Amino acid sequence: MPSIYVKEVHNNLFLLRVDDHITKYFEGIWKIPEGIAYNAYLLKTENGCVLFDGWKADFTEEFLNELSTITDLDNIKYVVINHAEPDHTGTLKSLLKETKYKPLVIGHPMTKSLIKALHGVEPKFRAVKDGEEMSVGEEILKFVYVPWLHWPETIVTYLEKTGVLISCDVFGGYSIPKEIFDEDPEVVRNYIPYVRKYMVNVIGHYRDFVIKGLNKLRDSGIQPKIIAPGHGLLWRKEINRIIREYSRWDIQESIKGKVTIVYTSMYGYVENAIKEAISELKKQGVNPVIHKFTDKYRSNVGDVLSDLDDSEAIIIGTATYEAGIYPIMKYILTLVKEKMKGNKPVMIITTYGWGDIAGRSLRTELEDLGFKVVSAVSIHGTLDQTSIEKIKGGISLLLKELSS
Ligand SMILES: Cc1cc2nc3c(=O)[nH]c(=O)nc-3n(C[C@H](O)[C@H](O)[C@H](O)COP(=O)(O)O)c2cc1C
Ligand SMILES: [Fe+2]
Ligand SMILES: [Fe+2]
């Protein structure tokens, strides 16, 4: 049985949260041993109930059961879909069936065709305009388009009277926080790294839209008292904390002094060179984050991206493999291209047998992305003293790039 929370989080606004320990790879890619939570909300008004979003289909039975504990399903007059991705709409079809398609479904104009395509449902549908307001009982709902946060049709709903922003993917994060709200500083501290990972993995591709979306929300005068996302913690004590976290891409904030090393090694040649780099970094007072892909260990690629994204500087180590970059590094590079901005200093360490193609290709690819390659050390197989000196020199160039 998954953990479930059903709780009134504000007057007549109920959270329905389920903790998903089943999903091992979010979107089928991102390994999340930390899990993820889905938040749906129910607003009770004197003029009927409004349901906001839903859960992943794996939890349909639980969703309908829990919803029935807070309202008779017949009272659900509206279903607002902030974003049609199945982690929030997996329960829609069953809900519509149970309610005999009575509720009016509300969303972005694209949502109508998306829910038909994804779930085969064609309910009564009202497409809202950007900024449109709608009264329900004593509450006023304001719908704001935030395209590409995370899909083209994403909207957020602001409850104007109570100051609650129901934001779906925006301001969300991975993991299963111990609390519902952000009241406990330790819970927030533990949660933030998962917000960062979620941001890079899930919406990193759309980072310019994140900046635009946040500016738009601010400019439309929305100053929420509560931020109620579709994943993870709800925010009311430290609203600025989560807004700042999401604004980080705007202000290019990285963690001061953080250096991340990512390397692959088939037989230990790259690893030996990386060991030299680590030892030199430590001598200079820097304790790097290390991710490796070897014959004995594989890091989590989602964590790799998260660490690369908030680092000040990066070291990449790999070998030439069949006249190209080692395939796992190629894959990581593809994700870096998709999800990150190339705005950091990088040191490259490559080893090869009969031609350093990896070194040359990596440099070109990283520079094309905008990274500043401060040093590229190419090693013919076994590490020798000359290469060690080059690595030390490279580290010293890299560290010069860190903010003091
Ligand atoms: C399956 C395989 C394919 C390789 N392909 C190439 C290649 O195309 N060109 C090259 O110069 N070296 C090639 N090498 C040699 C490696 O690049 C070299 O041994 C390197 O030092 C390996 O480092 P690692 O064991 O730390 O991964 C290959 C090695 C293996 C095992
Ligand atoms: Fe999404
Ligand atoms: Fe989501």
Side-chain angles (χ1 to χ4, degrees), residues 217-235:
L217 290 177
R218 194 196 49 226
D219 295 345
S220 51
I222 290 178
Q223 288 189 320
K225 291 195 197 80
I226 295 179
I227 291 180
H231 301 288
L233 277 186
L234 279 70
W235 299 82

Side-chain angles (χ1 to χ4, degrees), residues 6 52 207:
V6 177
F52 299 90
R207 62 183 62 211

Side-chain angles (χ1 to χ4, degrees), residues 7 9 179-184 187 226 233-236:
K7 194 175 158 56
V9 288
E179 306 284 342
I180 286 173
F181 274 105
D182 61 340
E183 243 96 78
D184 181 342
V187 169
I226 295 179
L233 277 186
L234 279 70
W235 299 82
R236 68 179 169 201

Side-chain angles (χ1 to χ4, degrees), residues 26 83 85 87-88 169 198 231:
F26 193 68
H83 165 36
E85 192 170 1
D87 55 334
H88 307 283
D169 277 351
Y198 168 86
H231 301 288

Side-chain angles (χ1 to χ4, degrees), residues 43-265:
L43 176 70
K44 290 185 178 176
T45 80
E46 62 201 14
N47 195 19
C49 293
V50 189
L51 175 67
F52 299 90
D53 303 313
W55 293 348
K56 205 177 171 195
D58 295 337
F59 306 102
T60 302
E61 202 184 317
E62 290 89 346
F63 183 70
L64 294 175
N65 285 343
E66 297 299 330
L67 194 55
S68 321
T69 64
I70 40 176
T71 183
D72 187 329
L73 297 187
D74 279 347
N75 293 334
I76 299 175
K77 202 163 171 189
Y78 305 106
V79 177
V80 174
I81 297 182
N82 285 308
H83 165 36
E85 192 170 1
D87 55 334
H88 307 283
T89 58
T91 47
L92 180 67
K93 188 173 183 165
S94 299
L95 176 91
L96 290 170
K97 238 181 177 168
E98 285 294 314
T99 51
K100 303 185 182 60
Y101 281 76
K102 254 176 51 194
L104 176 67
V105 176
I106 294 172
H108 186 281
M110 272 183 81
T111 300
K112 187 179 178 187
S113 63
L114 268 172
I115 56 173
K116 184 181 174 202
L118 296 172
H119 305 300
V121 294
E122 291 184 89
K124 287 181 283 173
F125 188 86
R126 171 166 168 191
V128 290
K129 294 198 185 75
D130 190 14
E132 187 173 331
E133 292 178 357
M134 180 182 138
S135 294
V136 190
E138 56 281 23
E139 189 52 88
I140 298 171
L141 313 183
K142 181 176 176 136
F143 307 103
V144 181
Y145 290 11
V146 281
W148 301 108
L149 280 176
H150 156 230
W151 278 9
E153 54 22 293
T154 308
I155 62 171
V156 295
T157 310
Y158 186 51
L159 310 188
E160 291 195 350
K161 288 282 171 73
T162 45
V164 179
L165 180 67
I166 300 181
S167 61
C168 206
D169 277 351
V170 192
F171 303 122
Y174 288 139
S175 83
I176 293 175
K178 278 195 298 197
E179 306 284 342
I180 286 173
F181 274 105
D182 61 340
E183 243 96 78
D184 181 342
E186 202 192 320
V187 169
V188 171
R189 224 180 5 259
N190 291 336
Y191 178 58
I192 288 295
Y194 296 117
V195 172
R196 295 186 156 224
K197 179 178 171 188
Y198 168 86
M199 285 175 66
V200 186
N201 292 183
V202 179
I203 50 176
H205 184 79
Y206 303 108
R207 62 183 62 211
D208 292 343
F209 287 93
V210 175
I211 298 165
K212 276 190 202 151
L214 292 189
N215 289 339
K216 183 174 177 182
L217 290 177
R218 194 196 49 226
D219 295 345
S220 51
I222 290 178
Q223 288 189 320
K225 291 195 197 80
I226 295 179
I227 291 180
H231 301 288
L233 277 186
L234 279 70
W235 299 82
R236 68 179 169 201
K237 183 175 164 221
E238 293 202 64
I239 284 189
N240 287 336
R241 180 81 181 87
I242 189 67
I243 293 178
R244 200 179 72 224
E245 201 51 57
Y246 267 72
S247 308
R248 157 171 83 92
W249 284 335
D250 197 11
I251 49 183
Q252 312 254 314
E253 191 187 288
S254 42
I255 294 176
K256 225 170 146 226
K258 179 168 175 178
V259 177
T260 295
I261 302 178
V262 187
Y263 73 92
T264 70
S265 192

Side-chain angles (χ1 to χ4, degrees), residues 264-267 270 293 298 317-331 350-362 379:
T264 70
S265 192
M266 295 177 275
Y267 292 104
V270 174
F293 297 83
R298 272 192 192 189
T318 198
T320 298
Y321 180 97
E322 292 170 0
I325 299 169
Y326 185 72
I328 293 180
M329 190 53 79
K330 225 189 253 175
Y331 173 57
T350 49
T351 69
Y352 66 98
W354 51 97
D356 182 27
I357 297 175
R360 290 197 294 273
S361 308
L362 260 178
I379 303 164

